[in-house]
Amino acid sequence: MKRLNIFLIRTYIGPFLLTFFLVIFILLMQFLWKYIDDLVGKGLSIQVISQLLMYVSTSLVPMALPLAILLSSIMTFGNMGENSELTAIKAAGISLQRFMRPLIILTFILGIAAFLFSNYVMPYTNLKMRSLIYDVQKQRPELQIKPGVFYNGIEGYSIRVSNKDYKTSMLRQLKIYDHTKGLGNTTVTTADSGFMKVTSDKRYLVVTLFKGYNYDESVEGNYGRFKSYNHPFRRDKFSKEVIMLELPGFGLVRTDESLFKSGYQMMNLKQLDHTTDSISKIINQSMAFSAGNTIQSNIFQTSNYYRPPQASVTSPAQAPVKKAVKHPDFYKLYAGLSAQDKQRVAAQALSSARNAKYNIDESKLMTEDIIKRLRRYEIEWHRKFTLSLACFIFFFIGAPLGAIIRKGGIGMPLVISVLFFVIYYVISMSGEKFAREDVVTVFNGMWISSMILLPIGAFLTYKATTDSVLLNTETYTEFFKKYLYPKKVNKFFRTYLFGK
C-alpha cells in the first residue's frame, strides 16, 4: 500500500506543477497585455521588469492554485481510469476513498499553505507590486497624456491635448494650465501643435509648442483689511516656444511604500481585524454625532420661534425662584401672531427643515462611504479563507470527475476544468459585487460559491465511489434509443447507424 501511495503522489505531482506554472504564465500574459502601454518605452531596466513580473506572478497564486488542483486531479484519475489502473485497484479490494487518501492529505497541506501564503506573503507582494506599478506609471509622463483628458501627473500643471499622433508623437490643440502660483487658471498657454520629450537626466519635460498664445491674468492689489483685486490681462503670441517643466520624483525614484499600507489588500488578518474595528467605531460615532447634532439644531431653531418675556433681574436677591415651565402650545401661539410674524416663522421653519435635511443627507453620504470601505476590508478578511477551501472543493470535483469520465491527456480535462473554474469565478465575483453593494451580507457573498460547489463535489465523489455511469455517453444513447424511438425507427437506427 505504501508503494501505491508513492505511485499516486508521483503521478499527481507532475501534472500539478505543469498546470500550475502554465496557469501562472497565462495570467501573467494577461497582465502584460493590460499594462503594456505603461511598460513599453519607459527605459526600464531588466532588474525593475524582473521585480515587477516576480511580484505579479506571486499575486496570481490565489487564482492559479485552485485551477491547477482541479486540472491535475482530472488528468491524474482520468489517465488511471483510461489505462484500467483504477479498475485493477478496485478489483484488489481498495476503495476509491482509501486510494484518494494520500492526495486528500496533500490537498490539506496545500490548503494550509495557501492560507499562510494569503495571510503573510500576499500583503507584502501586493504592497511591493502596487508601489512599483505606481512608480512605473509615473515614468515618461508624455506617454501618459491621452487625447481629450486632462493630465495632472506633473505637480503644478494641468495639460490637455485634443489629438495625438502615436507614430510621430505630434500633439494637436494643446492647453497648459500653470497652477504653480496657486491662483487658479490665471496662466494658460495654448498652441496649435507641439512635441514633448523628457531630458536624458529625467529631470525636466521639454515642451516645444508651435503657433499659440500665452494668457496671463495676474492678481494685483491690496491684501489688507479692505481687499481690492486688479486682474490685468496680458496676451502674447508666438510662432514657437519651448517650455521646461520640472519633474520632481521622476526617473523611477521609488515612492514611500507606507503610502499604500492602508489598502485592504496589503493587510493580514490581524491588521484587518484592527482596521474593521476602528472603522466600526468611526461609523457609530458619526451616526451618534449626526443624530445629536440634528436634534440640538432643531431644539435651537424651535427656541427661536417663541421666546417668553423674562423679567429683568438686577441682583441675585431679586432673582425669581425657578419653576417648572410648561411646554407652550405652538398652535395657539402661531394663531395669535400677526401676518408678518407668521410669514417670518414659516420662513424660519422652512429654512430649518432644509438645513436639517441637507445635514442628514451629507451625513448619510459620508456614512455610506465609510460603510463601503468597511465592507471591502471585511471581504478581504473572508477571501483569505475561501482560497483554502477552494483547494478542497476543486480536488473533490476533479478527482471523481477523472474517475468517472476515464479520459486522459489534456483535452477533455482542460475543457471540464475551465468550465468549472469559470462557474466558480463568475459566482465568486457576483457574490463579491453583491457584498460590496450591500445587496447581501459579506459572509453570504464571499461563501456562496463554496456553498454551491461543495455539494457538487460531494455528489460527484459519491457517484465515483458507486461506479456511476453519470458521464458515460453510451448510457444516454441507450436511453435515447430505448424510450424515444418507435420500434421500426429504433430497428432502422440500430441496423444502419449502430450496426446492431
Side-chain angles (χ1 to χ4, degrees):
M1 192 65 192
K2 183 177 179 180
R3 292 184 178 180
L4 188 62
N5 294 337
I6 297 175
F7 167 75
L8 178 61
I9 293 176
R10 286 181 177 178
T11 307
Y12 178 80
I13 288 296
F16 172 76
L17 295 177
L18 174 64
T19 54
F20 178 76
F21 288 108
L22 179 62
V23 173
I24 288 288
F25 176 78
I26 295 174
L27 296 177
L28 185 60
M29 292 299 103
Q30 181 185 10
F31 168 83
L32 293 177
W33 182 262
K34 180 180 179 180
Y35 288 95
I36 189 67
D37 294 335
D38 298 326
L39 301 176
V40 174
K42 294 295 186 70
L44 302 175
S45 63
I46 299 297
Q47 181 181 1
V48 173
I49 296 177
S50 301
Q51 288 180 356
L52 180 60
L53 295 181
M54 181 184 66
Y55 293 144
V56 173
S57 301
T58 307
S59 66
L60 295 174
V61 170
M63 185 177 295
L65 185 60
L67 181 58
I69 291 176
L70 175 62
L71 182 56
S72 58
S73 300
I74 297 178
M75 291 177 60
T76 300
F77 285 87
N79 285 327
M80 298 181 70
E82 188 176 14
N83 297 329
S84 301
E85 293 174 343
L86 288 179
T87 304
I89 292 172
K90 292 180 180 179
I94 302 174
S95 64
L96 183 63
Q97 292 92 334
R98 177 62 185 86
F99 181 64
M100 291 169 54
R101 187 179 299 174
L103 294 186
I104 294 175
I105 297 175
L106 179 62
T107 306
F108 179 77
I109 296 174
L110 290 176
I112 296 177
F115 171 76
L116 297 176
F117 183 89
S118 179
N119 191 38
Y120 295 104
V121 180
M122 284 292 296
Y124 176 80
T125 56
N126 286 334
L127 178 62
K128 293 290 185 180
M129 181 185 68
R130 182 67 188 90
S131 61
L132 185 55
I133 291 177
Y134 176 79
D135 295 333
V136 168
Q137 289 176 339
K138 289 175 59 178
Q139 277 283 94
R140 301 289 299 274
E142 76 276 13
L143 298 177
Q144 300 297 319
I145 299 177
K146 298 180 180 180
V149 180
F150 279 97
Y151 176 73
N152 301 314
I154 303 176
E155 184 178 359
Y157 295 92
S158 182
I159 303 175
R160 184 184 186 277
V161 299
S162 298
N163 295 300
K164 182 177 181 180
D165 191 341
Y166 291 93
K167 293 183 179 180
T168 61
S169 299
M170 173 67 74
L171 306 175
R172 303 287 183 182
Q173 301 298 323
L174 290 91
K175 290 184 179 180
I176 302 177
Y177 294 86
D178 187 354
H179 298 155
T180 55
K181 299 179 181 179
L183 300 177
N185 297 328
T186 57
T187 304
V188 183
T189 300
T190 63
D192 179 71
S193 59
F195 294 94
M196 292 186 181
K197 183 179 180 181
V198 178
T199 58
S200 57
D201 57 1
K202 303 183 186 301
R203 294 182 57 189
Y204 297 94
L205 177 64
V206 182
V207 184
T208 305
L209 304 176
F210 303 98
K211 296 182 181 181
Y213 294 89
N214 288 320
Y215 300 94
D216 189 3
E217 191 176 359
S218 303
V219 179
E220 297 178 356
N222 183 15
Y223 292 89
R225 180 178 179 184
F226 300 100
K227 296 181 179 180
S228 176
Y229 299 108
N230 295 322
H231 298 266
F233 178 75
R234 187 183 72 192
R235 183 179 68 176
D236 299 327
K237 183 179 180 181
F238 61 85
S239 59
K240 180 180 179 180
E241 183 178 26
V242 178
I243 303 177
M244 302 284 289
L245 304 181
E246 187 177 1
L247 302 177
F250 285 93
L252 201 65
V253 177
R254 296 305 306 272
T255 308
D256 187 6
E257 295 178 354
S258 61
L259 298 175
F260 305 94
K261 286 186 177 180
S262 59
Y264 56 91
Q265 293 181 334
M266 291 74 174
M267 295 184 179
N268 54 31
L269 285 178
K270 184 177 180 180
Q271 294 170 335
L272 288 172
D273 287 332
H274 177 74
T275 304
T276 52
D277 184 66
S278 301
I279 296 177
S280 299
K281 291 182 179 178
I282 293 175
I283 293 174
N284 296 332
Q285 293 174 358
S286 176
M287 295 177 67
F289 175 79
S290 176
N293 190 25
T294 303
I295 295 174
Q296 187 67 26
S297 177
N298 290 337
I299 294 176
F300 175 76
Q301 293 293 339
T302 303
S303 64
N304 289 333
Y305 300 152
Y306 172 73
R307 291 184 178 179
Q310 298 178 357
S312 60
V313 179
T314 58
S315 65
Q318 297 176 349
V321 179
K322 293 184 179 180
K323 297 181 180 180
V325 179
K326 186 178 180 181
H327 191 73
D329 190 348
F330 290 103
Y331 293 101
K332 291 182 179 180
L333 293 175
Y334 182 78
L337 296 176
S338 62
Q340 184 177 1
D341 290 337
K342 286 182 178 180
Q343 185 177 3
R344 178 180 61 83
V345 170
Q348 289 182 356
L350 182 60
S351 176
S352 176
R354 287 174 176 172
N355 291 334
K357 182 179 183 300
Y358 175 78
N359 293 332
I360 292 173
D361 290 340
E362 287 293 320
S363 178
K364 179 182 177 182
L365 292 176
M366 185 181 300
T367 305
E368 287 179 350
D369 291 338
I370 300 176
I371 292 175
K372 287 182 179 180
R373 182 185 175 191
L374 174 63
R375 284 198 292 266
R376 289 187 176 274
Y377 286 95
E378 292 176 346
I379 288 173
E380 189 64 25
W381 190 90
H382 286 278
R383 195 197 310 276
K384 296 184 182 299
F385 294 95
T386 55
L387 170 64
S388 301
L389 185 59
C391 297
F392 285 98
I393 293 176
F394 280 121
F395 174 77
F396 284 105
I397 289 178
L401 273 179
I404 293 174
I405 61 177
R406 298 182 181 181
K407 291 290 183 181
I410 198 173
M412 179 66 72
L414 180 61
V415 173
I416 297 176
S417 300
V418 171
L419 177 62
F420 272 96
F421 184 78
V422 168
I423 294 174
Y424 173 82
Y425 187 76
V426 170
I427 297 175
S428 298
M429 291 297 102
S430 300
E432 182 178 341
K433 183 178 180 180
F434 290 154
R436 286 199 306 266
E437 299 298 330
D438 201 21
V439 179
V440 298
T441 62
V442 175
F443 178 84
N444 292 334
M446 294 303 296
W447 292 93
I448 186 173
S449 56
S450 301
M451 295 177 186
I452 293 176
L453 293 183
L454 186 59
I456 295 177
F459 174 75
L460 292 176
T461 303
Y462 170 76
K463 287 294 183 180
T465 305
T466 57
D467 295 328
S468 173
V469 290
L470 182 65
L471 298 180
N472 192 347
T473 56
E474 295 182 358
T475 304
Y476 301 100
T477 304
E478 292 294 333
F479 175 83
F480 189 71
K481 291 188 299 182
K482 182 176 181 181
Y483 294 100
L484 298 183
Y485 289 151
K487 292 184 178 181
K488 293 183 179 180
V489 179
N490 191 10
K491 184 178 179 180
F492 170 80
F493 275 96
R494 287 183 177 180
T495 304
Y496 294 96
L497 296 182
F498 299 98
K500 296 181 181 180

